[in-house]
Structures are given as C-alpha cells and as structure tokens.
Amino acid sequence: MATSITFSTVRALNPQRPTPLASSSSSPSAMLFSSSPLWFPRQLRPIRIGNNGISGSRPRTFPVGVKEVSAKKQTFSSLDELLSDSDKPVLVDFYATWCGPCQFMVPILNEVSATLKDQIQVVKIDTEKYPSIADKYRIEALPTFILFKDGKPYDRFEGALTADQLIQRIETSLKVKQ
C-alpha cells in the first residue's frame, strides 16, 4: 500500500506561527517535524509482517490428530465459474494476509476441509488481490465466510471460529435450509 504525505499547515499552540507537518513525499519514511511542543516521529519505518505473524519464530502447531492438508491451488477465470461448476456447496473464506484472525483460521480451515471433504469445497479469496469480488459480496469484516449452494450465497458469517463451531455451522446450515 502506497503512502502519500502532502504538505499541510495546522495551527500551532502558538497562534502567531503555523506549524508545517510534513513535506510532500511518496515514501513512507517521510520526515515529520514540528516547531510546537507536540512531538512527531522523525521517521516512519515500515514493518514487515510475514505469513507467520510479526515474529515468524513460532512454529505452526496443529491440534492432536489433525494432519496438515496441502491446499490445491487452482485457477479459474471467475468465481462465478467455480461456483456454477461445483457439484457440492462451496465455502468461500474472504481473508487478507495482514489479518490476524484470518491467519488463525488457516489450520482450522485445513481441518474443516479434511473433515467435510465429501460435503463441501473450501476456497480462499484474498480481498486485497480481488477487491471487486469483495465489493460484489459486500465484505466489510475479515474473515468473512460465505457458503454457496447451486452458485448462490446460502449462508454468511463473520469472525474467527473454532473447527467444531465452523463444522457445526456448516452442517446445520446445509441441513436446515435443504
């Protein structure tokens, strides 16, 4: 994400003199300064957050009895094509790489996918890479899960859940609405 800081002037604590906040820059490390008693950082430093969180030093662990399922990466020309061609309901996880609860859901979705492999197909969509799809389905919170059946939204829920809660929600939804 690009950061742009433009030159602006605000009132200082001393009304006789305006305080410049920043100079124009396209870099996130633009210098900030102030002649008022307010303190601003001298330099903004970008931080890198990897797939394993900020530290990246903690190994991923899975609950006892759960095996890591390697996801099958597939390419489709559109989500609509995937949904219409699927012979089973599709659970779509709308996520972002910077979202902590979304990262928490990775092993849980692997477990749910393995447990319900005969009943549903699990698909993940990065809302930052595909904002038009996120807009189409009005994704406003992450993670958001939409269960599609026959190519149409069937159930929708938001937030992180345990594997048992997610499995129960999917099974209940498919049984009740049939």
Side-chain angles (χ1 to χ4, degrees):
M1 174 167 50
T3 302
S4 176
I5 299 175
T6 57
F7 183 81
S8 63
T9 316
V10 294
R11 266 182 213 204
L13 295 178
N14 178 354
Q16 302 298 323
R17 207 168 93 213
T19 304
L21 279 182
S23 60
S24 178
S25 172
S26 62
S27 166
S29 61
M31 297 296 285
L32 298 177
F33 58 95
S34 172
S35 60
S36 74
L38 298 175
W39 290 88
F40 293 96
R42 289 276 177 205
Q43 183 177 10
L44 298 176
R45 293 184 191 105
I47 61 169
R48 185 172 173 262
I49 301 176
N51 290 339
N52 295 334
I54 293 176
S55 68
S57 61
R58 190 179 76 183
R60 244 185 214 167
T61 57
F62 295 96
V64 175
V66 176
K67 297 178 184 173
E68 184 173 359
V69 177
S70 58
K72 213 175 12 173
K73 212 168 198 184
Q74 296 177 322
T75 304
F76 296 89
S77 61
S78 72
L79 177 63
D80 295 331
E81 175 190 331
L82 167 70
L83 296 173
S84 64
D85 291 349
S86 179
D87 57 341
K88 352 180 214 190
V90 178
L91 176 67
V92 179
D93 170 24
F94 291 91
Y95 76 99
T97 56
W98 51 262
C99 169
C102 299
Q103 298 307 315
F104 169 78
M105 291 301 297
V106 170
I108 291 170
L109 284 170
N110 286 337
E111 182 179 346
V112 169
S113 180
T115 303
L116 300 176
K117 66 181 173 196
D118 297 329
Q119 297 173 13
I120 65 166
Q121 178 180 358
V122 178
V123 174
K124 295 177 64 72
I125 295 180
D126 186 344
T127 57
E128 300 238 321
K129 289 184 181 176
Y130 303 100
S132 60
I133 297 174
D135 289 343
K136 178 179 179 180
Y137 293 104
R138 295 191 171 124
I139 305 302
E140 296 175 358
L142 296 175
T144 294
F145 302 93
I146 300 179
L147 184 62
F148 290 87
K149 187 171 181 186
D150 300 323
K152 296 182 177 125
Y154 196 67
D155 193 11
R156 176 188 183 114
F157 42 99
E158 299 170 345
L161 302 169
T162 65
D164 291 337
Q165 290 171 327
L166 188 54
I167 290 169
Q168 182 180 7
R169 176 74 185 246
I170 293 166
E171 288 177 337
T172 301
S173 179
L174 291 175
K175 286 178 188 171
V176 169
K177 295 185 179 183
Q178 286 180 356

